[in-house]
Amino acid sequence: MATAAAHRAAGTLMHGAADAIGEAEAHQRAFDAAVAADERIEPRDWMPDAYRATLIRQIAQHAHSEIIGMQPEANWITRAPSLRRKAILLAKVQDEAGHGLYLYSAAETLGTSREELLDKLHSGRQKYSSIFNYPTLTWADVGAIGWLVDGAAITNQVPLCRCSYGPYARAMVRICKEESFHQRQGYELLLTLSRGTPEQHAMAQDAVDRWWWPSLMMFGPPDDASQHSAQSMAWKIKRHSNDELRQRFVDICVPQAESLGLTLPDPDLKWNEERGHYDFGAIDWDEFREVLKGNGPCNEQRLSRRRQAHEEGAWVREAAAAHAAKHSNHATGTEGEQA
Amino acid sequence: MTATVATTAALALGDDALVLSHRLGEWVGHAPVLEEEVALANIALDLLGQARFLLSMVGDEDELAYLREERAFTNLQLVEQPNGDFAHTIARQLYFSTYQHLLYAQLAAAGGVFAPLAGKAVHEVAYHRDHAEQWTLRLGDGTDVSHERMRRACTALWRFTGELFQPVAGLDVDWAGLETAWLESVGDVLRRATLTLPEGPRSGAWSAGAGRQGLHTEPFGRMLAEMQHLHRSHPGASW
């Protein structure tokens, strides 16, 4: 719950110049004061409609990404080449479903419902991360997703642990811990392949070649083309710009790739002494836009699969609801079987 | 108990867990609600953990999982049955987890070589059994559609249940008592779910003890082909 500074600001305004300024503006000032003081906004606090809408959009898309993101990895569960790797992968996709659940719950604190959000996903009105529209073609892709995709996600998400909206920030603390564990596992998988047979090494290199650029696209459009960035940063939902985070990610990955004994598919990648950062080549923003528009390699497949699971599961959800209804009716005052 | 007999028993129990785990892993991304994505993956992971422990009692877990042919697997035919719809998966879980829970309780009490594993796993399996029972109640006593699907699923898998009580050499178990307790428990859950125990044979000449003898149903070979393909494509590689 709120927020000493917010209450002070609201109290002063409400008791003092409330007539002149009006209740709405008092709320707005209290909200601004809380954000400025790095306090958390909580579900019962007043918030601007646009802040609520932005958070619903962002948290929902984050949740959808966890759910759709299960598919490219689940593609390899039944083919994992050792029982240890299979167990790690099963645990990982289970975590992702759990992350989806936390995030839908966080979104629900803003006055929406999981059903409504899933409906928006299934009808294409809300998006998920563009990265999951790429196919997993070999076992090494599971490692590349762990190292690069989860690595990019962590770079994006760690600052969200300090996001101004409390429920989202707290979900991110928990999610980031598990994600960094997954990322290390992905790195270790690639390292094993890289040091394995020549075929395994080639498999690892091929996967990194295919996943590198899409991972850089995960940070979103360049700063000058990012429509939500400025407002999100002012609200302290976002803490760093897309390009800053992308640069941070590149700087982390280059030495890791060297330790892996793998190369990154960018001839323009080189250390810039003056900037203290790696320079890197141009991203293919046309490809990015096409994938966002639904024309990536797996957009159709991912969404169909999700819709299919939902539709084929309808009778199960209806059964659970009918059972619960029967037993809550029967059980008035008596002990009923638990659903 | 000789080493060979313990090996036979560890393989039988390990193969059950390995194969059912694999089938449940096929559900990931297809479950009817997110909570079931978590639950089914969780059960698959528990079973895989049991399989790894049991196969490691016999030899190298990966050699045993990935390099044996279909005829060398000794799992029950029940656990290799394709997932079908959610009701089929739940019926398979109800039959198997009730069996495994009762079996592991006996093995834990008997104090033999399987007692340490059984004593630990019995807690996981109690959760699997509860999950299957709760869904059997929801589907059986849910809508007309779900009732009919659950009834059909229980009937379709019934003929694979006789095999559960064929004694396995090396397991210190009261098989007749296990069967009685199983029939009572499953019968009770089905009754509460407004269903009845299916009629018809629980095994035939063609299936009595067949899985334990390495005689499987046709879908199993295809399942193994998918499971083993990558490992077999890179002989000797480490993963």
Side-chain angles (χ1 to χ4, degrees):
Chain A
M1 282 292 297
T3 98
H7 281 310
R8 274 196 304 277
T12 310
L13 289 163
M14 297 298 273
H15 294 129
D19 295 90
I21 297 169
E23 198 179 339
E25 195 171 341
H27 280 310
Q28 179 71 52
R29 289 209 188 169
F31 173 84
D32 292 342
V35 170
D38 270 336
E39 288 177 350
R40 291 277 160 78
I41 307 301
E42 297 296 338
R44 289 167 187 276
D45 295 339
W46 184 91
M47 63 189 83
D49 290 344
Y51 177 84
R52 186 184 299 276
T54 290
L55 277 168
I56 290 176
R57 179 181 54 79
Q58 183 173 338
I59 300 172
Q61 291 187 9
H62 194 161
H64 299 333
S65 302
E66 297 283 355
I67 300 313
I68 297 282
M70 294 167 70
Q71 288 185 34
E73 295 179 294
N75 186 35
W76 283 92
I77 289 175
T78 54
R79 294 178 288 170
S82 75
L83 298 186
R84 174 172 164 265
R85 292 292 179 196
K86 187 172 182 168
I88 290 171
L89 188 54
L90 263 174
K92 184 181 178 188
V93 292
Q94 187 190 348
D95 284 348
E96 282 159 1
H99 295 173
L101 286 170
Y102 305 156
L103 288 162
Y104 285 121
S105 299
E108 285 182 334
T109 65
L110 292 158
T112 181
S113 68
R114 196 207 298 183
E115 289 67 32
E116 195 179 338
L117 298 176
L118 282 175
D119 186 52
K120 285 181 177 161
L121 170 65
H122 297 154
S123 61
R125 283 175 293 154
Q126 281 180 342
K127 296 195 185 309
Y128 54 87
S129 178
S130 60
I131 192 80
F132 300 120
N133 292 312
Y134 291 87
T136 47
L137 302 178
T138 72
W139 170 249
D141 290 36
V142 172
I145 289 180
W147 177 44
L148 293 173
V149 175
D150 293 340
I154 293 163
T155 309
N156 260 328
Q157 290 171 9
V158 164
L160 288 172
C161 298
R162 295 185 294 126
C163 155
S164 59
Y165 188 60
Y168 193 25
R170 288 188 289 274
M172 291 321 303
V173 171
R174 192 159 165 191
I175 289 172
C176 284
K177 277 185 197 153
E178 292 178 349
E179 292 288 6
S180 53
F181 188 57
H182 299 159
Q183 200 241 356
R184 283 201 299 278
Q185 288 170 333
Y187 180 90
E188 192 258 333
L189 191 164
L190 283 181
L191 188 63
T192 306
L193 293 181
S194 179
R195 292 176 177 173
T197 65
E199 290 78 13
Q200 286 177 306
H201 181 91
M203 191 191 281
Q205 183 62 60
D206 169 61
V208 169
D209 289 347
R210 283 181 288 109
W211 287 91
W212 172 247
W213 290 108
S215 301
L216 293 191
M217 295 178 196
M218 285 176 70
F219 296 92
D223 291 347
D224 51 21
S226 175
Q227 50 172 335
H228 302 293
S229 277
Q231 182 60 73
S232 288
M233 286 177 78
W235 277 329
K236 294 190 182 168
I237 295 173
K238 251 179 111 131
R239 298 276 178 164
H240 310 279
S241 79
N242 294 352
D243 288 333
E244 275 168 36
L245 291 169
R246 189 170 7 248
Q247 180 71 61
R248 186 179 297 179
F249 178 68
V250 171
D251 290 348
I252 292 168
C253 285
V254 174
Q256 288 182 347
E258 282 165 11
S259 310
L260 281 170
L262 298 171
T263 59
L264 295 171
D266 180 359
D268 297 328
L269 190 65
K270 62 170 186 298
W271 178 249
N272 182 325
E273 192 66 54
E274 205 171 302
R275 292 201 308 124
H277 290 291
Y278 284 94
D279 291 335
F280 55 97
I283 290 172
D284 183 350
W285 293 114
D286 288 339
E287 175 179 322
F288 179 70
R289 276 186 292 272
E290 282 302 304
V291 175
L292 278 190
K293 271 197 285 181
N295 301 323
C298 298
N299 298 61
E300 178 58 34
Q301 175 189 328
R302 299 283 187 248
L303 211 49
S304 307
R305 161 71 73 80
R306 181 85 268 292
R307 283 197 205 106
Q308 187 192 7
H310 191 74
E311 282 160 17
E312 286 177 358
W315 69 273
V316 176
R317 296 189 300 276
E318 284 157 16
H323 182 81
K326 277 185 209 181
H327 288 271
S328 66
N329 290 341
H330 290 179
T332 7
T334 61
E335 47 178 322
E337 284 162 319
Q338 293 302 303
Chain B
M1 184 187 291
T2 71
T4 320
V5 172
T7 296
T8 305
L11 268 184
L13 299 181
D15 286 350
D16 286 350
L18 178 72
V19 170
L20 185 56
S21 167
H22 187 94
R23 285 297 190 203
L24 292 173
E26 293 173 353
W27 265 105
V28 174
H30 295 269
V33 284
L34 284 177
E35 285 80 355
E36 285 305 298
E37 299 280 6
V38 178
L40 295 173
N42 196 350
I43 295 169
L45 196 54
D46 287 345
L47 289 168
L48 185 55
Q50 294 166 15
R52 295 181 65 192
F53 185 95
L54 286 158
L55 295 182
S56 297
M57 289 172 71
V58 179
D60 180 271
E61 61 179 31
D62 287 336
E63 270 179 40
L64 289 165
Y66 291 99
L67 299 176
R68 273 184 299 159
E69 302 282 347
E70 180 177 339
R71 292 282 280 109
F73 276 82
T74 58
N75 55 282
L76 297 163
Q77 289 186 346
L78 175 67
V79 296
E80 75 201 29
Q81 294 312 303
N83 289 333
D85 67 6
F86 190 68
H88 276 77
T89 291
I90 292 301
R92 193 183 59 198
Q93 285 301 108
L94 177 71
Y95 291 165
F96 183 75
S97 62
T98 305
Y99 161 79
Q100 202 190 17
H101 190 230
L102 295 167
L103 177 71
Y104 278 17
Q106 285 203 33
L107 292 175
V113 291
F114 296 108
L117 167 80
K120 179 178 168 289
V122 79
H123 301 291
E124 295 170 352
V125 177
Y127 158 74
H128 306 170
R129 182 181 179 178
D130 182 58
H131 174 264
E133 289 183 359
Q134 297 303 328
W135 272 111
T136 302
L137 295 179
R138 288 189 197 108
L139 298 182
D141 188 17
T143 63
D144 290 347
V145 170
S146 69
H147 177 90
E148 179 55 18
R149 282 182 182 244
M150 195 64 214
R151 188 193 66 75
R152 254 188 268 164
C154 288
T155 303
L157 294 172
W158 187 243
R159 62 206 166 94
F160 299 106
T161 58
E163 191 183 7
L164 275 54
F165 309 102
Q166 298 291 318
V168 175
L171 295 185
D172 185 5
V173 165
D174 166 15
W175 295 97
L178 185 69
E179 183 164 15
T180 306
W182 186 89
L183 280 168
E184 202 173 299
S185 172
V186 169
D188 179 58
V189 175
L190 292 182
R191 184 187 53 73
R192 288 193 290 137
T194 71
L195 295 160
T196 49
L197 277 176
E199 289 172 14
R202 287 173 43 226
S203 59
W206 53 273
S207 71
R212 296 283 187 235
Q213 311 302 320
L215 295 169
H216 294 280
T217 56
E218 286 183 349
F220 184 54
R222 202 163 276 107
M223 192 207 97
L224 281 187
E226 181 172 342
M227 182 173 104
Q228 297 182 336
H229 164 262
L230 176 58
H231 186 97
R232 285 181 180 271
S233 302
H234 296 264
S238 304
W239 301 93

